[in-house]
Amino acid sequence: MTAVVPSPSDVVAEVQEGGSRYDRLIQPARVHGTLYTDPSIFAEELRKIWHRTWVFVGHESEVPQVNDYVRKQLADQDVVMTRDKEGEVHLLINRCAHRGLQVCDDKAGNSSSFRCPYHGWTYRNTGELLGYPYNKGYGGKKQLPLGMGKVARVASYQGFVFGSLAEEGPSLEEHLGAAKGEIDRLVGLSPEGKVSLDAGWLRHKTRSNWKFLAENETDGYHPQFVHGSIFGVTGSPIGELYSDNSTAVTRNLGDGHSENDLRPEFRGFAEPMRWFGTTPDRVPHYVAAMKEAHGDAADRVMIEGAPHVMIFPNLFIAEIQVFNIQPVAVGECVQYSTAVQFDGGHELNMRMVSQSIGSVGPAGMLLADDTEMYERNQRGVAMADPEWLDVRRGLHRESVDENGFTIGTATDETGMRGFWNHYKSLMEAED
Amino acid sequence: MTAIHPAGEIIESEFASVAVKLDHDGNAVRLRVEDLRTGRVRFLDALELESLVWLADGHLTQLLDPSHERWRG
Amino acid sequence: MSVMTQQQGDAALPPRPDNGAELLEVPDGWEAREVEQFLYREARLADENDYDGWEALWTDDAIYWVPVDGEGDHPRTTVSIIFDNRSRISTRMKQVKTGKRYAQAPPSNLRRIIGNVEFIGGRANAEGGVDLEISANVLAFESRPRGNTLWGGRTTYRLRRVDGQIRLAYKKVVLVDNEQAVPTLGFLI
Ligand code: FES
Ligand SMILES: [Fe+2]
């Protein structure tokens, strides 16, 4: 699958002398194809991004009860998300301290303790070693200062659980920065101020570098082309949101995060629930509950709708769907996707499940086509010439909004440039 | 079977009264045990129950000593 | 979810489409050979991307379901790879017929084997009749530019006679590897 490509050091050295390796590969208007195909860059990304920064892992609602656990992925790490008896959420690395076996095998369960099947070592669901069989062989009980591996830092925001394998670094809130407001917007659409991600996950194997996905999520240039087939047959107005006539903006939120802000369009219509493709009279209980929760602000919240935000490096909130992107190899990743469920929003929840099934996952009428593009993109960039990908669209017409964020029009590549800026700063950091 | 109690089937004697039922709210089934005299509830998972089965009688007897936990002096 | 939400949600939840209705005896009047011929025809129409021919096999109350995680959870509250009613089957067919459903343009090259056909029983349908429920193994070999994929699974079908013709009312495909990440499933499994 990984095609033979010229090594970046050969190719790019000629293009521009001086600067760091990533200065040469990542330029304001273009990025080099080897960023998507070079296994050594992927290995460096694992160290400097996936094992260091905050990575979205799962949601607290996946372990609703004390002692629930669920297996998750954090890049190449098999992780067990647990809720201990105090209700605290942990991310354990699924590896026995004895000889390294995978401790948990089931996808999910409920247990206060985990017993390794190989020799019976037993751990609390906090990772602490509780005991081992025939303890005389170790000089008695509690003789070993060992435990299951742990993701060094675990934090959650509005129930979204993130892990960082680095002991130190920016806090989760610092990492999320302006993206926090987008998560708040999503959660604000629940009358109880709470979302659940408990509708299961689709797992879509994608033969593409993970960055093609991260860039595409807020690429407002592609929908009319890639999704024209479904917009056409369903008469969907979504395509128009991503056209030259649209008042929507693409915003670089900083820290690698970006969004397609569709609010200007929805404010123009000023119709509550239009973002959801419905009207207040069809979801009366929801609207009443929202008015109770938000008072005068309820109409605005229901007009503006849900965010479309890519949170670096792997959490994509696409209005009513959540994606968790995890890399597997330089040319392969997995997209995990699910439907958002609003606590207190039962009139919307089943419809969100149904719409998500129609749109996302391996057979989704939207995402299967995006994924086809990711895979053709991966094959395309393995070709020798031209070596670069162009990311200059809208560079000349960017502006700064009232909050100091760089914005472009609905179809500009402002989000991608924000992604690359942040990516570059992480990759240039010391090992 | 005796009358249906919302907390499950009742196991009782003149000394204690508990209700047991299988609980499916978590990511796997658990045994929910409620002390009907105090309302205190405990969930037991499969590994904990298996450990109980293997508890030596002596250990179990120790747990019955009123000063072991509940009325620790 | 709050207790309130769950109660209200549950009240509106219809029974599961796979086992929500009681399994009855195999209804009378079905020959193994004609049933198998129907399954082979449905398979060939799908293999050859004869979208109109395939769509015409379905009844109006159709359910086409490809769950994840084994048999899957309730498809109204849990995501599935596919959970189409008749209208969504029609949308799916219209999309692919634009020729710009890139996940299936160009279409996959495909052949599948249907085997181990068993008569399972009957299920009452909304029209007051009883559909024949059968199940069969499927092994499909798909070739696309991204590579070749072997898809295997167990399919449950419900068949009904409508105006003397056999029609498909229900098809649930439990993929063998549906607990893993699977590649794009652009064709009709
Ligand atoms: S490897 Fe886990 S107990 Fe030996
Ligand atoms: Fe897209």
Side-chain angles (χ1 to χ4, degrees), chain A residues 96 98-101 116 118-121:
Chain A
C96 181
H98 179 220
R99 291 187 48 78
L101 208 81
C116 178
Y118 202 177
H119 313 92
W121 284 30

Side-chain angles (χ1 to χ4, degrees), chain A residues 107 192 194 196 198-205 207 225-227 229-230 233-234 334 337-339 341-346 349-350 353-358 360 362-369 371-373 375-376 379, chain C residues 1-2 4-6 8-10 12-14 68-69 74-84 88 91-92 94-95 98 100-106 144-149 151 178-186:
Chain A
K107 284 232 144 57
E192 296 174 12
K194 207 160 169 254
S196 291
D198 59 356
W201 292 91
L202 296 176
R203 295 170 289 261
H204 193 172
K205 180 174 178 171
R207 290 175 172 92
F225 297 92
V226 176
H227 306 305
S229 61
I230 191 64
V233 301
T234 57
V334 174
S337 51
T338 191
Q341 300 286 279
F342 293 132
D343 288 28
H346 62 279
N349 286 343
M350 273 199 234
V353 169
S354 170
Q355 286 188 4
S356 298
I357 296 172
V360 308
M365 288 184 270
L366 289 167
L367 262 292
D369 295 319
T371 301
E372 183 70 18
M373 294 302 152
E375 295 183 341
R376 293 187 196 182
R379 298 199 292 276
Chain C
M1 280 207 260
S2 72
M4 194 62 178
T5 317
Q6 291 233 322
Q8 286 169 334
D10 289 350
L13 196 60
V68 289
D69 297 322
H74 198 298
R76 300 297 193 100
T77 56
T78 313
V79 290
S80 303
I81 295 175
I82 294 173
F83 184 61
D84 287 359
R88 193 170 277 173
T91 303
R92 200 177 279 284
K94 282 186 201 143
Q95 183 191 24
T98 63
K100 297 212 176 305
R101 159 66 159 167
Y102 294 104
Q104 199 52 209
R144 290 191 66 67
R146 71 157 186 248
N148 296 335
T149 312
W151 300 85
N178 75 5
E179 295 182 1
Q180 311 291 331
V182 299
T184 295
L185 178 61

Side-chain angles (χ1 to χ4, degrees), chain A residues 16-32:
Chain A
Q16 194 186 318
E17 293 298 332
S20 76
R21 181 190 195 185
Y22 291 100
D23 260 337
R24 281 174 270 133
L25 295 172
I26 301 165
Q27 299 174 17
R30 61 181 193 171
V31 294
H32 200 264

Side-chain angles (χ1 to χ4, degrees), chain C residues 28 38 49 55 87 97 102 106 108 130 139 153 157-159 176 185 189:
Chain C
D28 291 337
F38 177 84
N49 305 298
E55 188 180 346
S87 127
K97 285 193 288 183
Y102 294 104
S108 302
V130 174
L139 195 59
Y157 308 81
R158 287 181 200 151
L159 306 187
V176 168
L185 178 61
I189 182 77

Side-chain angles (χ1 to χ4, degrees), chain A residues 37 56 65 79 121 149 168 191 257 259 267 286 292 294 298 305 322 341 365 393 396:
Chain A
T37 56
F56 171 59
Q65 301 294 326
V79 162
W121 284 30
E168 283 165 27
H257 317 312
E259 68 168 333
R267 283 182 197 128
Y286 174 75
E292 184 144 333
H294 293 282
V322 167
Q341 300 286 279
M365 288 184 270
R393 183 175 170 79
H396 66 288

